[in-house]
Amino acid sequence: MLLEIRDATKIYGSSGGSKDEVVALQDFNLKIPKSPASITAIAGESGSGKTTLANAILGFVKLTSGQVIYDGQDIAHAARAQMKDYRRDVQAVFQDPFGVYNPFYRVQHVFYQVIRNFGLNHNRAEWQQMIEEALNAVGLRGQDVLRKYPHQLSGGQRQRIMMARAYMIEPRLIVADEPVSMVDASLRASILDVMLRLKEEKGISFLYITHDLSTAYQVGDQIYVLYQGSVAEKGATFSVIDRPRHPYVQLLVDSVPVPDPDVKWEGEVVFPPEEEMRSSVASGCRFYSRCSQRLDQCLQQQPPLYQVDDSDHQVACYLMST
Ligand code: ADP
Ligand code: MG
């Protein structure tokens, strides 16, 4: 496996023993194979734990329990040299990358820094060629953008420059946390297209995090639908979205207003805002209060993931247990 996450749980505020604990992520498991390269979509409404997951993978958040295993190595116990590889192999692209730019430097500085930090090359002519190639890969033309300052670029251009930067490093995995949520529809399509091309042509895998089910459907090979920090349903994207089994995921998929199945995923399908406050004391299914098919059993314990067919389509719902 390229990346494996085992029983990852993150509880914020747990150290002080206060009652303001938030279970941001609970018993989360994920596997991304080494090959072929794939796009794993993590979809969920705001507050469902997506960024916590991304930050745990990138090492910005320490898990309360569980493991992040890269190439067979638990990153919490990795040696220095292994961490160095990891920091190169796993790159991040965030929602609004404005903050990662120094406003006083031209865009080209981002690329020079990458070349320096990762010791990519020593020859200036080769530098230029690498940068040019990376920019072309994300549909930008070099001389236009390199001499600009960050504030002179659109959000979509900043986003693509982050992709180009990641491309130059040639990572094996890009963690993209809501990369298209701040851009308009046409740019969204072109950034999603860049992801598909980097996957196909460069063998780069993605963890694509989104609150928009339709883009997850468009690019995801696998999908994990999170609800309040737990997986409600996961599996091959075509299987989960075409035949959802969890009442929550069915609700989401059915809420798409267009009746024609051929066009139903064209628009943006945004999750409704999270209604309930979460707490560590909640037992049972987290979707209970919103569920139209709830059973008494659902209050007792969080449902485990049930296999629903012979693929790896799994659903956390007691309705699947019979
Ligand atoms: P998402 O990215 O899906 O919106 P997050 O991972 O950001 O979700 O948040 C999951 C839950 O954890 C939310 O209830 C959020 O309020 C809480 N949370 C996130 N970061 C922190 C933090 N640093 N301290 C306390 N609670 C946090
Ligand atoms: Mg987030």
Side-chain angles (χ1 to χ4, degrees):
M1 287 293 143
L2 182 65
L3 184 78
E4 195 175 343
I5 298 177
R6 284 194 202 146
D7 298 324
T9 293
K10 176 63 188 179
I11 304 173
Y12 291 107
S14 61
S15 53
S18 71
K19 21 187 221 308
D20 306 325
E21 290 187 350
V22 176
V23 183
L25 196 64
Q26 189 169 31
D27 299 326
F28 182 82
N29 287 281
L30 167 141
K31 282 182 184 175
I32 298 178
K34 278 188 181 163
S35 71
S38 61
I39 298 178
T40 301
I42 306 289
E45 59 199 47
S46 174
S48 59
K50 305 182 298 296
T51 296
T52 298
L53 172 64
N55 285 337
I57 293 169
L58 296 165
F60 301 149
V61 150
K62 193 175 176 300
L63 289 174
T64 307
S65 60
Q67 295 164 293
V68 176
I69 297 162
Y70 179 75
D71 206 0
Q73 172 68 48
D74 183 339
I75 62 160
H77 303 112
R80 234 191 149 92
Q82 287 170 318
M83 265 332 266
K84 204 174 158 220
D85 288 346
Y86 186 70
R87 297 231 173 277
R88 178 182 176 140
D89 287 355
V90 180
Q91 292 295 316
V93 172
F94 293 125
Q95 180 170 20
D96 181 14
F98 194 70
V100 306
Y101 291 99
N102 183 322
F104 302 111
Y105 286 119
R106 294 180 201 272
V107 166
Q108 59 194 19
H109 183 77
V110 169
F111 293 92
Y112 293 153
Q113 232 175 5
V114 164
I115 289 167
R116 210 174 307 126
N117 290 351
F118 293 95
L120 295 183
N121 233 307
H122 303 291
N123 174 324
R124 207 166 242 283
E126 280 175 7
W127 285 15
Q128 288 307 335
Q129 208 185 329
M130 285 177 77
I131 295 170
E132 202 74 31
E133 194 195 320
L135 289 170
N136 285 342
V138 301
L140 289 173
R141 283 221 248 114
Q143 296 319 314
D144 298 345
V145 294
L146 285 173
R147 300 198 55 76
K148 291 197 169 153
Y149 290 94
H151 71 269
Q152 296 175 305
L153 301 176
S154 69
Q157 283 175 320
R158 286 198 288 267
Q159 195 63 264
R160 281 190 284 178
I161 283 169
M162 282 295 98
M163 288 277 188
R165 176 190 175 279
Y167 171 92
M168 256 176 74
I169 299 168
E170 294 195 347
R172 304 189 53 197
L173 177 70
I174 293 178
V175 177
D177 189 356
E178 310 226 26
V180 296
S181 62
M182 310 267 287
V183 302
D184 65 35
S186 68
L187 265 174
R188 187 180 325 151
S190 86
I191 292 170
L192 294 174
D193 195 50
V194 167
M195 286 174 46
L196 289 168
R197 279 185 30 224
L198 293 184
K199 178 185 92 160
E200 295 299 335
E201 294 167 19
K202 292 285 163 179
I204 298 173
S205 289
F206 284 82
L207 194 74
Y208 170 61
I209 294 176
T210 182
H211 65 279
D212 173 9
L213 212 51
S214 65
T215 61
Y217 186 61
Q218 284 161 32
V219 299
D221 297 299
Q222 288 91 237
I223 188 169
Y224 290 68
V225 181
L226 283 179
Y227 185 75
Q228 295 196 1
S230 293
V231 172
E233 185 157 357
K234 59 155 280 212
T237 304
F238 68 87
S239 183
V240 170
I241 301 297
D242 292 345
R243 287 197 70 195
R245 313 293 182 94
H246 194 287
Y248 171 58
V249 184
Q250 285 175 342
L251 196 72
L252 289 171
V253 170
D254 290 347
S255 72
V256 181
V258 186
D260 182 345
D262 292 334
V263 295
K264 76 175 177 178
W265 291 100
E266 295 252 310
E268 193 181 13
V269 186
V270 176
F271 285 84
E274 192 166 327
E275 282 166 11
E276 301 119 294
M277 288 300 292
R278 311 196 285 155
S279 87
S280 58
V281 293
S283 64
C285 179
R286 293 181 182 279
F287 190 62
Y288 182 83
S289 62
R290 285 164 75 179
C291 187
S292 60
Q293 300 175 66
R294 61 194 179 201
L295 314 164
D296 287 346
Q297 184 183 11
C298 306
L299 270 180
Q300 284 155 22
Q301 233 178 43
Q302 177 97 343
L305 283 165
Y306 292 99
Q307 193 88 15
V308 293
D309 52 37
D310 48 18
S311 75
D312 66 344
H313 191 160
Q314 297 183 341
V315 183
C317 178
Y318 287 118
L319 293 169
M320 305 296 125
S321 67
T322 47

